[in-house]
Amino acid sequence: GIAQALADGDLEAFGRLADESHRQTVELLQNTVAETAWLPREARRLGALGASAFGAGFGGSCWAAVRRADAEDLASRWAEAYRAEFP
C-alpha cells in the first residue's frame, strides 16, 4: 500500500497510490467540494510527489507531499493557482 511504498522509497508508486486514493475520494465517496477535488490534482501538476483530500466529509482538507527543498516554492505556486482558480 501507500505506506509501504513510502517506506520503501518508491515515490512513483507512492504518487500513483495517492492519486488513486484521491480519485476514489472524489468519485466513489463523493465527499469533496470543488476546491478539495481540485487542489490535490493541481499539487501533482505542480510537482508534488503525492497529494489527496481527506476528512470527515463534504469539504475536508488536502495534503501534498513534496521534497523539503521544493516545499516553499510549491506551496507558493499552489496558493497562487488556488487564488486564480477560486477567486
Side-chain angles (χ1 to χ4, degrees):
I2 196 166
Q4 190 62 54
L6 193 55
D8 291 344
D10 187 347
L11 299 179
E12 209 170 288
F14 169 74
R16 280 193 316 273
L17 291 165
D19 290 345
E20 179 60 17
S21 173
H22 183 63
R23 184 193 69 76
Q24 289 182 21
T25 294
V26 173
E27 294 177 12
L28 302 178
L29 294 176
Q30 299 179 348
N31 65 348
T32 58
V33 294
E35 293 87 346
T36 56
W38 179 85
L39 277 164
R41 290 191 297 262
E42 182 64 8
R44 289 286 278 156
R45 188 187 74 75
L46 293 171
L49 301 170
S52 187
F54 69 97
F58 303 100
S61 298
C62 299
W63 61 266
V66 299
R67 295 183 189 280
R68 186 181 317 238
D70 300 330
E72 285 186 38
D73 179 59
L74 190 133
S76 176
R77 291 185 298 125
W78 199 22
E80 184 178 323
Y82 175 81
R83 287 189 295 272
E85 186 73 17
F86 299 96

